[in-house]
Amino acid sequence: MVERAAPEPRAASAVPSPARERAPRRVVWTFLRIPLLYKVLIANVAIVVLGAVVGTWLTATTVRASPDDFGLLTIGGFVVLGVVLSLVVNYVVLRAAFQPLHELEDVAASIRQNDYSRRAEPGIFGDPRLSSLVSTFNATLDALVRDRSELRHLASQVIRAQEQERQRVARELHDDTAQVLFAQLLQLAALKRSPVEDVARTATDFEEMTVEALESVRRLALELRPPALDDLGLFAALEGLAQRFGDQLGIPVEVHVRGPRTRLSAEVELVLYRIAQEAMTNVAKHARATRAVIDIDRAADGLSLSVRDDGRGFNESEPSKPGAPGLGLGIFGMNERAALVGGTLHIWHRSGGGTEVFVFIPIDAVNTIGGTPQ
Ligand SMILES: Nc1ncnc2c1ncn2[C@@H]1O[C@H](COP(=O)(O)OP(=O)(O)OP(=O)(O)O)[C@@H](O)[C@H]1O
Ligand SMILES: [Mg+2]
């Protein structure tokens, strides 16, 4: 075992200790970190003491040098000097201490503009309690951003799963249920020719029911996944959508396309179709409109889709009207679908003044987001 020699005690004054060197800085630092109330008190006490000492010294010196010159003007000068000094010191101390509050205000304004990237700076001269409030605010904002991105991720998974399921059910309805009903129709047609009157009548009744069932199965399959969307593209699918809603509501529903009608990426086409479908479903459910227009504009910087109606509009705070029950997820879903392809969605509405759903997808997303529709 090696024994270590005990370290030689250093001569206290030989080498200046770094701790000692830092002592004045530590005093200043400690002053800066004390709470605002004490900072203001200390600053004001310092001004009063300074005023008393310097004022007395100046008065004594002036009186001794020229006793006749000491009058109202000199006293006024001292008063002005004292007031200016007090204002400046208080302003500097309070401004530095409240800096974190200004930071919080700026960040809150950014959040109102949907910008969650800014963070407030606690500031080294800020009041410690305000600085700690800023740190807590920043941490809460970080957690909020994490939750939002998690929510967005989950929403996109739900949307994709929903699309897969819709496609599966539509295919099954079309390939399976509709085929069975069609085969049944052929058999009923044969039965209708039966010499037994009762059998022929019953077959006719069944035939009518089967035709109705086949119609609704086809309509359902079409709503779930219109084949035109995959086969002919977005523009043809939107014309079909407008036609169906126009017939259902008994109002004109127009489609205007500005720009080339060439196909877009499958995912963008699907997103735009679903947004138009939900917007038109809302027109049917809530708007009481006499006209609706679907506009598509393909410009150099991106593609926009707008669905407008001249209906009753709505007030944000207004709950869903009875008789038109819904989960209230339609607008949320439209927003999430737009975000899925890097787009943004806005809704303009005014009570009694119609509604417009507007989505814009930047050109990069229109060109690059690909993949087959799920
Ligand atoms: N075109 C419109 N005209 C009038 N009100 C509308 C229109 N679109 C939406 N609204 C109002 O906005 C509310 C929210 O719409 P949203 O699509 O999110 O939910 P919902 O249609 O009620 O339910 P869900 O879409 O889940 O079936 C509606 O309940 C309705 O009050
Ligand atoms: Mg809806």
Side-chain angles (χ1 to χ4, degrees), residues 278-279 281-283 285-288 309 311-315 318-321 324-332 334 347 354-355 357:
E278 171 57 28
T281 305
N282 278 350
V283 173
K285 272 167 65 178
H286 310 292
R288 286 189 233 126
D309 68 65
R312 63 178 189 89
F314 65 103
N315 192 333
E318 202 179 285
S320 242
K321 288 269 175 295
L327 293 174
L329 288 177
I331 292 176
F332 173 80
M334 287 197 275
I347 298 183
T355 302
V357 173

Side-chain angles (χ1 to χ4, degrees), residues 33-153:
R33 303 303 300 162
I34 58 175
L36 174 63
L37 176 69
Y38 300 117
K39 248 186 229 166
V40 172
L41 286 179
I42 293 172
N44 281 293
V45 167
I47 293 168
V48 171
V49 170
L50 201 72
V53 173
V54 176
T56 312
W57 176 77
L58 275 176
T59 310
T61 314
T62 315
V63 169
R64 237 181 277 131
S66 45
D68 298 339
D69 287 352
F70 192 82
L72 276 179
L73 204 65
T74 318
I75 296 173
F78 285 166
V79 170
V80 170
L81 196 71
V83 169
V84 168
L85 191 67
S86 168
L87 284 177
V88 169
V89 171
N90 279 292
Y91 176 81
V92 169
V93 170
L94 289 174
R95 175 139 192 112
F98 283 127
Q99 183 56 27
L101 272 189
H102 295 299
E103 285 277 329
L104 283 183
E105 207 180 357
D106 290 349
V107 174
S110 305
I111 293 173
R112 267 201 299 279
Q113 306 292 324
N114 261 337
D115 174 7
Y116 289 79
S117 61
R118 271 197 68 176
R119 292 293 175 273
E121 285 293 330
I124 50 168
F125 304 129
D127 183 65
R129 283 185 197 149
L130 290 182
S131 299
S132 123
L133 179 70
V134 165
S135 306
T136 311
F137 182 84
N138 285 344
T140 311
L141 208 52
D142 287 343
L144 181 71
V145 168
R146 266 197 312 277
D147 289 352
R148 271 171 64 91
S149 102
E150 176 76 3
L151 184 71
R152 185 137 277 182
H153 178 65

Side-chain angles (χ1 to χ4, degrees), residues 299-353:
D301 58 339
L303 184 146
S304 61
L305 168 103
S306 128
V307 180
R308 292 195 307 280
D309 68 65
D310 64 352
R312 63 178 189 89
F314 65 103
N315 192 333
E316 201 93 65
S317 53
E318 202 179 285
S320 242
K321 288 269 175 295
L327 293 174
L329 288 177
I331 292 176
F332 173 80
M334 287 197 275
N335 263 310
E336 291 309 312
R337 281 181 194 276
L340 217 57
V341 290
T344 43
L345 184 122
H346 298 280
I347 298 183
W348 285 280
H349 50 82
R350 202 154 32 93
S351 210

